[in-house]
Amino acid sequence: MRLALAQGAEALDKGEIPVGCIFVKSGTEEVLARGANKTNELRSGCSHAEMVAINDYLESRGGNGSEEFSHCELFVTCEPCIMCAAALSMLGIQKVFFGCHNERFGGNGSILSIHQDSLLACQRPYAVTTGLLKDEAISLFQRFYSLENRRGKRKTNTTCAWKENKVSKGSKLTEIKFVTRSRGNTKAYKQRNKKISDMLHLTKKSPYFHAAPPEKRKKRKKDDEASKDD
């Protein structure tokens, strides 16, 4: 488990959620694979420590060797999530040891008990032992959230407000205004605002998009009405 904690510490140093794991061949001390959380680095919510270790091992063997995991035990700092717990069941893992519980997404007892679920397709049950070096695992998370709170003080708030106007054909968006307060990189927030506009299918050419201040909108409306009268 200390090797798994070392993987978690490496993830923490890189700004990742500090979860680490190792797969060990049963009855030996041979480490088959190891991994750390890389969800930020790989921009993938599936890149949990367990999945990273499995994928790295399979890629190193040209996509072969999944049967090796059926002779292994997993040591992981935090309870595997539901996704990872199901993957471990399909691989036929023999046993899982984890440190602290995952109260939000845990798949080995906290939320679901995938390791005991007889209804899961391709299900192969496996044993679970909890609380191994639990305090050390929790300490990693405490350090992570302490760092995040410090960074959060420098982050900015972006709000999106809109008004709806009832018309004969239903409710249409008539105004969207982004308010950005930033001490840092305003470009990132402008890009975020644009993404929100794209999701709402709005552009500056749209009759339902008004990014200008109220006084400018009133003047534009008067100009439009004058041009129609002409």
Side-chain angles (χ1 to χ4, degrees):
M1 180 59 85
R2 295 202 179 277
L3 293 177
L5 287 167
Q7 291 291 311
E10 287 183 16
L12 178 63
D13 292 340
K14 295 178 181 178
E16 300 280 0
I17 295 175
V19 178
C21 73
I22 62 168
F23 287 88
V24 179
K25 287 192 174 181
S26 299
T28 73
E29 295 185 357
E30 181 182 350
V31 176
L32 183 76
R34 65 186 70 205
N37 197 6
K38 292 185 178 181
T39 53
N40 293 331
E41 178 183 337
L42 300 179
R43 306 284 184 182
S44 170
C46 296
S47 297
H48 295 184
E50 301 93 326
M51 304 303 287
V52 169
I54 293 168
N55 289 336
D56 286 352
Y57 178 80
L58 295 179
E59 286 178 6
S60 69
R61 283 157 178 73
N64 300 315
S66 60
E67 66 280 355
E68 292 293 332
F69 290 97
S70 63
H71 306 293
C72 288
E73 297 173 349
L74 171 68
F75 292 80
V76 59
T77 57
C78 183
E79 177 185 358
C81 70
I82 294 169
M83 171 188 70
C84 293
L88 295 171
S89 176
M90 293 177 184
L91 286 171
I93 196 79
Q94 289 195 354
K95 192 170 185 178
V96 170
F97 299 85
F98 67 79
C100 59
H101 283 84
N102 183 344
E103 300 293 347
R104 294 182 65 189
F105 308 109
N108 285 151
S110 291
I111 304 300
L112 295 178
S113 297
I114 299 295
H115 59 295
Q116 298 175 340
D117 191 349
S118 60
L119 299 178
L120 183 68
C122 304
Q123 193 268 354
R124 282 180 276 185
Y126 54 89
V128 171
T129 297
T130 71
L132 193 60
L133 297 183
K134 174 183 176 180
D135 292 340
E136 287 87 341
I138 292 175
S139 177
L140 282 177
F141 280 102
Q142 290 173 335
R143 287 165 56 193
F144 172 76
Y145 287 115
S146 175
L147 290 171
E148 284 297 297
N149 288 336
R150 291 176 200 167
R151 292 171 186 154
K153 293 179 181 179
R154 299 194 295 269
K155 291 185 179 179
T156 64
N157 294 323
T158 301
T159 61
C160 171
W162 61 82
K163 295 179 181 179
E164 291 186 351
N165 181 33
K166 300 294 181 179
V167 295
S168 58
K169 293 184 179 180
S171 178
K172 287 184 178 290
L173 189 64
T174 59
E175 179 183 9
I176 182 167
K177 179 175 68 173
F178 298 106
V179 182
T180 303
R181 297 180 292 277
S182 175
R183 295 180 184 175
N185 186 0
T186 57
K187 183 178 179 182
Y189 288 92
K190 287 179 180 178
Q191 291 174 345
R192 181 185 297 179
N193 291 350
K194 184 178 183 303
K195 288 180 180 179
I196 295 173
S197 299
D198 292 341
M199 286 189 291
L200 293 171
H201 306 294
L202 296 172
T203 66
K204 290 183 178 180
K205 295 180 180 180
S206 170
Y208 303 110
F209 184 91
H210 302 283
E215 60 274 9
K216 287 189 178 181
R217 293 203 296 273
K218 290 178 182 178
K219 184 178 182 301
R220 185 185 301 167
K221 185 177 180 180
K222 289 180 179 179
D223 292 342
D224 291 342
E225 290 175 352
S227 62
K228 287 179 183 179
D229 293 339
D230 295 340

